[in-house]
């Protein structure tokens, strides 16, 4: 569920007309719904009620401090992958004792910082990293809380770039090697074994890969509980969201055409409850052994809670095609270019209203919606059936709350976009748009 709806022909986020937000802060602009994020968090938390659990929001999905603060205030922990993310979480008032530090290549400086801040756990991905953490903790006279990341060798049926739990991936430790690495860890002087972790991939839309992975790892977890008294089992993140019918607009003609098309593609969501039920039955009572179950959702909490607003600069007809050239580019939202991912795109002004003078709305037309960046990969939609789009129109690229701004860059020397947060009928800027001066800040005139 999310809070983007047409009201009186205008696209609203909660109780705010998005056109007003775009006028005030300009475009391209990310807009997030606080209510949607909290709703997702609370629904997951409620579904997990039968378990002793902790939701560690994967900060990488959207790490704006205002978003982190919302979740910290709601009681969330955080899954972090860099010292920078830990710094942000602390700046947002997050509790380091609810932070797990993941990642295959932690630096010495990062490990020191996380030790000093007393994170809940280091999720360790190799023996080499384990040795390094032991050494650094020893030098500080501290003990490092550690969970090893298991690689269960499961195909999560997702895009190959975001599949992480199969044996070809760089992540985790193979199940066959895991007991031996735990034995080594147990002998290290400055390591406390506190848990076991896994994460099989992202944007997973079936329950089976999660259930299979838990089923495979569960006997090892049981063993580790007996041997080392581990405190937690983290199942990772990865629950997918619906990108292709993320939007509900009543029964407008242009929309219902899209709905038929989406139904044929058959990507229906896996609900939070189905996901939790699958995990619960795969755990097979494991959670009754005084074991805290951790989840690390990112996309699920924020993905459908954000849109990227962009304005159409030019309409261009070539012999072959019609293009809408918008003011957002692949530098602002790289997902379509990088993963060929689908994002719903809807006009801020509902098409049927514009056509209200005519008896019938205009038919849908195929159009490429592209950015201004000098690459042919700079597109948001190709041959997309859309209502008529005109120069100056405001469009919303849906489901852009996760892996949107955080993956933005200054490519083509384009300033980073602004971000705004809506809550009820209020909205506020949570990140300023970069200025041109920001583009050269930090660059140094050559001294020789
Ligand atoms: N835990 C770990 C260890 C992870 O590596 C990730 C995501 C998560 C949790 C959160 O996964 P989620 O619940 O958001 O699926 N840029 C890509 C997604 C990369 C995900 C990387 N790891 C995209 O735009 O689809």
């Amino acid at each position: 569920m999310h809070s983007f709806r047409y009201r009186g022909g205008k696209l609203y986020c909660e109780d705010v007309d998005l056109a007003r937000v775009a006028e005030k802060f300009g475009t391209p602009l990310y807009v997030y719904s606080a209510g949607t994020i909290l709703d997702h968090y609370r629904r997951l938390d409620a579904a997990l009620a039968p378990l002793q659990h902790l939701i560690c929001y994967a900060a990488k999905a959207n790490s704006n401090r205002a978003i982190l603060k919302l979740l910290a205030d709601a009681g969330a922990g955080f899954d972090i992958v860099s010292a920078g993310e830990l710094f942000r979480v602390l700046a947002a008032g997050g509790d380091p004792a609810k932070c797990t530090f993941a990642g295959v290549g932690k630096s010495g400086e990062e490990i020191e910082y996380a030790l000093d801040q007393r994170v809940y756990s280091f999720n360790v991905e190799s023996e080499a990293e384990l040795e390094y953490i032991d050494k650094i903790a020893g030098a500080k006279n501290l003990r490092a809380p550690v969970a090893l990341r298991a690689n269960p060798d499961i195909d999560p049926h997702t895009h190959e770039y975001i599949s992480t739990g199969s044996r070809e991936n760089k992540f985790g430790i193979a199940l066959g090697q895991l007991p031996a690495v735990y034995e080594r860890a147990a002998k290290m002087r400055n390591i406390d074994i506190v848990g076991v972790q896994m994460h099989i991939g992202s944007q997973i839309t079936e329950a089976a890969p999660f259930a299979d992975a838990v089923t495979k790892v569960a006997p090892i977890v049981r063993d580790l509980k007996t041997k080392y008294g581990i405190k937690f089992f983290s199942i990772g993140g990865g629950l997918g969201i619906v990108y292709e019918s993320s939007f509900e607009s009543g029964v407008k003609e242009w929309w219902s055409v899209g709905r038929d098309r989406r139904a044929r593609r058959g990507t229906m969501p896996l609900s939070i409850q189905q996901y939790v039920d699958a995990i619960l039955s795969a755990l097979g009572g494991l959670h009754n052994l005084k074991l805290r179950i951790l989840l690390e959702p990112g996309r699920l909490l924020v993905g459908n809670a954000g849109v990227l607003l962009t304005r159409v600069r030019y309409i261009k007809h070539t012999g072959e095609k019609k293009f809408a050239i918008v003011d957002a580019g692949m530098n602002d939202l790289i997902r379509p270019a990088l993963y060929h991912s689908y994002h719903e795109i809807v006009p801020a002004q509902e098409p049927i209203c514009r056509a209200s003078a005519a008896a019938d709305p205009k038919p849908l037309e195929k159009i490429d919606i592209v950015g201004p960046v000098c690459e042919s990969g700079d597109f948001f939609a190709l041959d997309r059936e859309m209502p008529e789009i005109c120069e100056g129109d405001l469009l919303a690229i849906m489901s852009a709350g996760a892996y949107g701004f955080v993956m933005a860059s200054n490519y083509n020397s384009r300033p980073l976009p602004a971000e705004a947060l809506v809550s009820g009928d209020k909205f506020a800027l949570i990140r300023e748009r970069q200025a041109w001066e920001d583009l050269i800040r930090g660059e140094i005139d050559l001294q020789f």
Side-chain angles (χ1 to χ4, degrees), residues 57-115:
Y57 165 62
K60 65 171 82 65
N62 185 327
S63 55
N64 186 293
R65 260 189 311 145
I67 306 287
L68 299 178
K69 183 169 180 342
L70 269 183
L71 287 164
D73 290 350
F78 296 90
D79 172 60
I80 53 156
V81 288
S82 66
E85 283 188 355
L86 179 55
F87 178 79
R88 279 181 175 285
V89 164
L90 298 177
D95 181 356
K98 290 184 184 172
C99 284
T100 54
F101 189 3
V104 291
K106 302 172 190 77
S107 72
E109 190 187 18
E110 289 183 312
I111 293 166
E112 286 198 27
Y113 178 53
L115 278 169

Side-chain angles (χ1 to χ4, degrees), residues 212-266:
D212 293 350
V214 172
T215 306
K216 266 180 122 171
V217 179
I220 301 178
V221 179
R222 198 175 282 274
D223 218 38
L224 295 171
K225 178 76 192 164
T226 316
K227 276 195 182 138
Y228 310 112
I230 58 167
K231 293 189 287 191
F232 75 86
F233 175 23
S234 173
I235 292 164
L239 179 53
I241 61 168
V242 178
Y243 281 96
E244 294 189 18
S245 54
S246 63
F247 192 81
E248 285 161 31
S249 142
V251 286
K252 306 303 182 200
E253 192 206 352
W254 68 274
W255 179 251
S256 53
V257 171
R259 181 151 47 209
D260 290 347
R261 193 190 63 220
R262 285 185 295 278
R264 280 201 301 279
R265 285 188 188 150

Side-chain angles (χ1 to χ4, degrees), residues 316-336:
K316 174 172 174 173
H317 296 269
T318 64
E320 298 296 308
K321 278 180 168 274
K322 181 173 174 186
F323 294 91
I325 300 163
V326 299
D327 63 4
M330 65 191 286
N331 70 296
D332 301 302
L333 176 66
I334 202 173
R335 301 194 72 258

Side-chain angles (χ1 to χ4, degrees), residues 136 271 349:
I136 294 174
S271 74
Q349 172 83 34

Side-chain angles (χ1 to χ4, degrees), residues 58 60 79 149 162 197 199 202-203 237-238 296-299 335 339 403 407:
K60 65 171 82 65
D79 172 60
R149 175 166 176 175
I162 52 176
Q197 190 263 355
H199 170 76
S202 194
Q203 185 51 21
E296 303 164 4
R299 191 186 319 259
R335 301 194 72 258
Y339 314 112
Y403 307 108
M407 295 178 81

